[in-house]
Structures are given as structure tokens and as C-alpha cells.
Amino acid sequence: MNWLPLGDEDPFDRWTLPYGVFVVGGSAPRVGVAVGSWVLDLAPLAGDELFAQPSLNPFLAAGRPVWDAVRARLLSLVTDPRHRELVEPHLIPAADVELRLPFEVADYVDFYASQTHAENVGRLFRPDNPALPAAWRHLPIGYHGRAGTVVVSGTPIVRPSGLRRAGDSVEFGPSLRLDIEAEAGFVVGTPSALGAPVPVGAFEDHVFGMVLVNDWSARDIQAFEYVPLGPFLGKSFATSVSPWVVPLAALSHARVEPPPRSPAVADYLRDEEPWALDVSFEVEWNGTVVSRPPQRSLYWMPAQMLAHLTVNGASVRTGDLYASGTISGPRPGGSGCFLELTWNGAEPVQLTDGARRTFLEDGDTVTLRATAPGPAGSRQRLGEVTGTVAPSPSP
Ligand code: CA
């Protein structure tokens, strides 16, 4: 029945069908869809200017009826043998393309939706206070990040410099506690109007899909600067995203009930539709898998995050990215950052290459991958985001 041959090791199946932007052989960047180990060149296949674009934004702005129609057509094209002759000329080996940042990032918001992460950070950074901030169970805490430093997977991460505490004094220099944060990112397609909150139930009309996010963090810079206004230079130097945006429609088999919440949430955060996602992350450090953060353990759902960030009347734009915050599961082995994994450097990690690590060293590579339940009991891959640390420029 399926005409397109796929192997177990292929990066994507015939169901996920994520969208990205690629160049091949010096071509102009344009929109493609990943299937198996191929990139489907949509612009000539569909004969549609919507895909002859250097970003997904025009397609994202087209709205859910268009997203649904294109996906339905794609599912038919890659499975029904009658379409083989039409599709085959537009399949490009994935190894031959260069992937670009898939969408123009409008605004970037980062949340703090993992209870385990929030409690661990509280214990490490504020040991004399309750682990969870007072508002944490009432609303998804977040902050506005820096859209202009969101980069595509593979972009080198230059070690940031900044001020940090050194004993009783303060010194300037390259971060000594460079860390990762494994997060789920959500990409807004349909904008909302200023003054018009987006209810929880309108999530699927506004959000197009999901990317994997590594929100690089300099813990020493962060710890010194963050009181009282939150993260600034400790986070803003780089945030990496996976090159393939997985449509929400491809995550339908991964949806599960959210965890119970106490106290009951405010009416504008009540979620009738289950939007917890049973996505399993994997954190690989220089070739060693060091943890497996479970996205389903998050306390706050992406639909609630969108409702919260607009409840005051703030609008969202096409290309807005909002991320879950570090995903850390309650069980050992589920840490989404090295701050927790090594307990702020107190418990080094042994890598299979013989090295021991607490935080990132120059030349280290971290790759995040994720999988989720797919159709008919299958396991679908959701792509990867990788980055290698480059040394700080010499002063
Ligand atoms: Ca973060």
C-alpha cells in the first residue's frame, strides 16, 4: 500500500510530516516536508507560492483550514501509490540539503512549567525559601525572551561572558557554568488581536506545531543578575530550535490527560481538552545519553500557556515561539538541565568517552531528540536539535 520505502533508522515516518526550510545546491531557500530520509520539495509539487518562501511564516499565517488541507493532501501523496509518479521527482535526499531557521521568530516567551524543575531550582538558588514560588500553582510563570537570538540546530554556541559572584567579590569573564535546558517549543500561526485573549479552547486554531528547544543558560551569570526581574544575559545569548516543525495534528496519538492540579486553576486556565503530550526527550552529551526528560510530567499545558500569555489582552503574532521551560521529570534520570543532573556541579556525570562533566566545556556537543506515540502503536520521531560550544572570543 505504501509506495515510499522507509527504514527503521529513517529520521521521520510517513505520519509526522514536519515542515522546514531548506536550500539545496545553492538554491533559494524554500519550504520542504520531511518524510523518511527525504525532503519533499513542496513549492514545485504543489505549484503554490506559499511554499516558495524563505520561511514558514506565510504558511503559518494561512491558518488552520489551510494547514489541515495541506496535511491531508500530503498524507495521501506519501502513501497512495497512485501519486508515486507525481511525488518522486520532488524527493530530495535529506543528506543533500542545508536546513535553515524554519520560521521568522516574532516574539519568544519562555515558561517554567515543570514542577520538578521549579522545585529543584528553588532549592539550589533560594535554599532559605519555599521551593515553589507563591504563584507557581496558580499560573504558568514565564518571562519574555529574546527572539533575535533563536537559532537553528547546528549553529555554534559561543560561550557568553558576564558578571558573576566570586566569593565576596564580583568578576567578569566567560561563563563557568554553561548549561542546557531541554524544552518543548510551540509555534504560533494564526495571530490574535490586541485586547482579545485567546481562550484555552482556541489553542489548535492559533498554534501550528511544536519544535524541540535547547535554551542555553549561563547559570553563574543568571544567579547573579536575576533578582528581581528574572533572567537577562544568562539566557539571551542563544536558544536553539529543531529545524523541523511538527504540526499539532501529527501529535494526536501523543495526547494524554494532564496531571491533577491543586488548588483548582482559575476559569481562564481550565482545560477541558487534554493537551498533555506524552513526548519522551533524550539528552545526549558528547555521544552519551545522560537523561530522558518526560514532557508528560509538565504541570502546565501549552494551551494554558497561550491563554495565560494573552489573558491581559497581549496579542500574539505569526511566528511567535513560546517554550515550556526545562522539562524535568520527578524520577531519577529525567533531568532536563545539567544544573539539576549534577546538582549544581556537586555530582559530576561520567560520559562513555571517559570524561567527567559538571557543566559544558568548549567543544562539547549536546543533542536533544524526542519521540512520541504515533499511529497504530508506532513510535514517531520528532527530530533533534544540536549545538556545539565554541570558546568565548578573546578579550
Ligand atoms: Ca528556559
Side-chain angles (χ1 to χ4, degrees):
M1 145 99 188
N2 290 307
W3 63 267
L4 188 66
L6 258 63
D8 289 345
E9 298 305 313
D10 279 337
F12 292 103
D13 59 13
R14 295 183 196 84
W15 164 258
T16 310
L17 300 176
Y19 296 79
V21 170
F22 72 98
V23 296
V24 59
S27 72
R30 56 189 188 266
V31 173
V33 164
V35 56
S37 53
W38 307 88
V39 173
L40 187 54
D41 191 355
L42 274 194
L45 174 65
D48 192 333
E49 279 299 302
L50 205 52
F51 304 114
Q53 305 284 340
S55 87
L56 290 175
N57 290 49
F59 174 58
L60 298 178
R64 187 174 167 193
V66 172
W67 311 336
D68 289 348
V70 171
R71 179 169 166 82
R73 175 74 176 149
L74 285 171
L75 283 166
S76 166
L77 287 173
V78 300
T79 52
D80 189 333
R82 288 174 297 178
H83 299 310
R84 179 174 188 157
E85 284 182 24
L86 174 67
V87 174
E88 253 177 351
H90 303 296
L91 288 172
I92 302 168
D96 292 352
V97 310
E98 178 193 322
L99 296 171
R100 297 286 174 86
L101 186 66
F103 56 101
E104 267 180 72
V105 184
D107 285 301
Y108 168 44
V109 168
D110 199 15
F111 285 94
Y112 198 47
S114 160
Q115 181 170 343
T116 302
H117 175 68
E119 288 175 342
N120 284 338
V121 170
R123 289 187 189 109
L124 288 167
F125 278 15
R126 296 176 300 274
D128 301 328
N129 293 303
L132 276 184
W136 196 89
R137 288 178 182 277
H138 293 275
L139 52 82
I141 288 179
Y143 74 99
H144 286 91
R146 191 158 188 85
T149 53
V150 175
V151 297
V152 71
S153 175
T155 305
I157 304 303
V158 177
R159 182 180 298 274
S161 290
L163 288 168
R164 58 167 174 264
R165 195 169 289 291
D168 290 335
S169 63
V170 173
E171 66 181 21
F172 180 88
S175 171
L176 302 174
R177 291 178 179 248
L178 186 57
D179 196 356
I180 65 148
E181 293 193 328
E183 309 194 14
F186 297 89
V187 182
V188 173
T190 308
S192 69
L194 197 62
V198 178
V200 165
F203 170 63
E204 286 174 274
D205 294 327
H206 288 272
V207 169
F208 172 74
M210 191 180 124
V211 288
L212 313 185
V213 174
N214 185 348
D215 191 30
W216 306 88
S217 299
R219 300 302 181 192
D220 41 0
I221 298 171
Q222 178 190 353
F224 183 56
E225 73 180 355
Y226 86 111
V227 180
L229 290 185
F232 193 52
L233 303 183
K235 300 271 193 177
S236 62
F237 54 95
T239 301
S240 300
V241 295
S242 53
W244 295 109
V245 184
V246 175
L248 286 187
L251 295 170
S252 53
H253 303 277
R255 292 176 60 178
V256 289
E257 290 291 331
R261 301 193 187 89
S262 177
V265 298
D267 284 348
Y268 78 89
L269 291 170
R270 278 178 53 190
D271 46 347
E272 310 289 341
E273 297 281 319
W275 266 110
L277 292 167
D278 186 15
V279 173
S280 301
F281 277 70
E282 178 181 286
V283 180
E284 188 187 278
W285 194 348
N286 293 347
T288 303
V289 174
V290 295
S291 67
R292 292 193 163 80
Q295 187 175 332
R296 70 176 298 165
S297 66
L298 293 178
Y299 192 86
W300 297 104
M301 302 302 110
Q304 294 172 310
M305 297 175 202
L306 181 64
H308 182 64
L309 81 88
T310 59
V311 73
N312 65 346
S315 51
V316 289
R317 296 187 289 173
T318 299
D320 275 12
L321 170 68
Y322 65 94
S324 61
T326 306
I327 300 167
S328 286
R331 285 202 280 272
S335 295
C337 66
F338 302 152
L339 177 77
E340 291 167 87
L341 182 70
T342 69
W343 206 246
N344 203 14
E347 299 167 13
V349 174
Q350 181 73 51
L351 305 182
T352 52
D353 65 3
R356 280 158 68 86
R357 284 286 188 279
T358 51
F359 290 96
L360 287 161
E361 297 190 7
D362 292 346
D364 281 3
T365 298
V366 174
T367 304
L368 311 180
R369 299 188 186 86
T371 62
S378 66
R379 193 93 203 152
Q380 58 178 335
R381 296 188 169 102
L382 305 182
E384 65 174 47
V385 54
T386 190
T388 298
V389 178
S392 290
S394 316

